[in-house]
Amino acid sequence: RRMYASTTRAMAVRAARRGREGHARACRGTTTTTRTTRRCARAVARREDTASGGLLATGASSFSAVARASMRSGDDGDDDGAGRSKPSYSNETKLRSEAQAPFRVARQFLYGACGASATIGTGIATIQLLTKLAGAPSAPPIEGTLENLAIDVTALAVFAFLYTREEKAKEKQMARIGREERLGRLRLELAGGRSVRLEDLRGFSRAVIVSGDEEYLCDAIGDAERVREELVKRGVLVIPVPTTASADVPPPAAEDRKFRATPLRVNEWLEWVREQKSMAKVGDDKGVYVGLRMDGRVRSSGTGRVPFERFSVELPPVDSWGGALDGFDGRVGVDS
């Protein structure tokens, strides 16, 4: 019994030792596997981080390129989806447009709301007509449905036409105001040597821009000299813009401070004049004149000799009460 007990204890000790050794080997294997797994996971994570960094860098560079392209396109104007760029206007231009046509927004809202109502009515009448043609017993009479459909379609067409007409008038007006704003930013030099923008003379002078060759400009200046005194009283400022670099136009004298001015950066003035000629379908070789109101808006333009004598008679003096309400300035009104 003693031998059996000792043998049993020895076998139990050896079994326990083997179990501990096996467990230790298993733990070491698990630890090794865990370490290997962790190393693999870290390697995969590093590869993913590298790939993600490349993708992020590529995405960032692509976004930067798109942003730069958008900024460039925003400077030139918005794309209307058909390859044509729509001009962008400043907030001042939009405010001037709303001031000159204060009820246009209300009209467009009214036309849009009525057009939406007509669209809903057209859809309902169309469904009623289809249900009647399909033989639905509870559908309204087809005569009334056709009448309602015709009324809704006609109303939709009318309000769509009115809204489109208002939008075209708005674009035309804003284009005109935009041209006037660009003209106001052009610089000129007064006879005393002072450099100003044309918009700085608003409220003080009625600028008359004369553009043509040397002969046309000399004739225009000569015509203005004949009625110089009357034109000065009426605030007329003559700005000759030569179309050729070889044009020899006599410079203004010291006493011409309120009568004549010299354009600076002539290329910018010529670009604006060419735009006006292109819109009016006037040849580049023809001399033109553009007369401005006291507020900087274009009031009169044409080809041929500049009617300075008529200006000297029609325009009221700048220190009189008539000023901006009659004559060459025209009557100030709004789009009501």
Side-chain angles (χ1 to χ4, degrees):
R1 287 197 296 271
R2 292 176 182 174
M3 291 178 62
Y4 177 78
S6 61
T7 303
T8 304
R9 285 197 296 270
M11 292 176 63
V13 169
R14 285 197 294 271
R17 188 180 301 163
R18 291 194 192 98
R20 287 195 297 270
E21 291 177 355
H23 179 71
R25 285 196 298 271
C27 290
R28 285 196 297 272
T30 304
T31 304
T32 304
T33 304
T34 304
R35 290 175 181 173
T36 305
T37 304
R38 289 176 180 174
R39 291 195 191 101
C40 293
R42 284 196 294 267
V44 171
R46 282 196 297 270
R47 287 196 296 269
E48 289 179 353
D49 291 341
T50 304
S52 300
L55 290 175
L56 289 174
T58 305
S61 60
S62 302
F63 179 78
S64 300
V66 173
R68 288 193 296 269
S70 300
M71 291 174 64
R72 288 195 296 267
S73 63
D75 294 338
D76 298 335
D78 298 330
D79 193 354
D80 61 357
R84 299 183 299 271
S85 59
K86 296 177 64 177
S88 57
Y89 302 105
S90 63
N91 292 331
E92 184 178 357
T93 300
K94 296 176 181 178
L95 290 175
R96 286 187 60 186
S97 175
E98 293 179 1
Q100 295 180 18
F103 299 107
R104 174 173 291 135
V105 176
R107 289 198 299 268
Q108 286 187 307
F109 177 79
L110 178 63
Y111 297 154
C114 294
S117 177
T119 302
I120 296 174
T122 301
I124 295 175
T126 302
I127 294 174
Q128 291 177 349
L129 178 62
L130 293 178
T131 54
K132 183 64 176 179
L133 294 177
S138 59
I142 191 170
E143 294 81 5
T145 302
L146 290 175
E147 182 180 355
N148 294 334
L149 182 61
I151 294 174
D152 292 331
V153 170
T154 304
L156 178 60
V158 170
F159 288 119
F161 168 76
L162 293 175
Y163 186 90
T164 304
R165 187 183 64 174
E166 289 289 342
E167 191 66 22
K168 290 181 178 179
K170 176 183 177 181
E171 290 295 328
K172 183 177 179 180
Q173 183 189 47
M174 292 190 61
R176 175 181 59 80
I177 297 175
R179 292 193 302 271
E180 294 172 356
E181 291 296 327
R182 292 197 303 274
L183 176 61
R185 289 191 291 267
L186 299 180
R187 302 194 69 87
L188 52 91
E189 183 180 356
L190 302 178
R194 181 185 175 189
S195 174
V196 296
R197 288 184 175 182
L198 187 59
E199 63 185 2
D200 296 333
L201 303 178
R202 291 176 181 174
F204 304 98
S205 299
R206 299 180 175 100
V208 178
I209 304 167
V210 184
S211 179
D213 54 15
E214 179 180 349
E215 181 181 1
Y216 181 78
L217 296 181
C218 292
D219 292 341
I221 294 174
D223 294 340
E225 286 287 350
R226 297 190 188 95
V227 289
R228 174 193 180 101
E229 183 178 355
E230 298 298 326
L231 293 178
V232 171
K233 290 181 181 180
R234 287 154 176 79
V236 175
L237 183 69
V238 182
I239 306 175
V241 181
T243 55
T244 58
S246 59
D248 186 13
V249 181
E255 60 271 12
D256 294 336
R257 186 171 61 90
K258 295 184 178 181
F259 180 63
R260 282 187 55 191
T262 304
L264 301 177
R265 302 173 185 171
V266 181
N267 291 334
E268 297 179 1
W269 288 81
L270 289 177
E271 182 180 354
W272 188 87
V273 171
R274 281 193 291 267
E275 183 181 358
Q276 306 306 305
K277 287 183 177 181
S278 176
M279 294 185 58
K281 298 181 180 180
V282 176
D284 292 337
D285 57 339
K286 289 188 177 181
V288 296
Y289 68 90
V290 179
L292 304 183
R293 297 160 50 106
M294 295 281 284
D295 58 1
R297 285 187 279 174
V298 176
R299 179 63 181 86
S300 177
S301 62
T303 60
R305 300 184 74 90
V306 186
F308 284 113
E309 293 186 0
R310 180 165 62 87
F311 297 164
S312 64
V313 176
E314 293 182 352
L315 286 175
V318 292
D319 56 351
S320 67
W321 289 96
L325 297 180
D326 51 13
F328 181 54
D329 275 349
R331 190 162 195 78
V332 177
V334 295
D335 182 9
S336 57

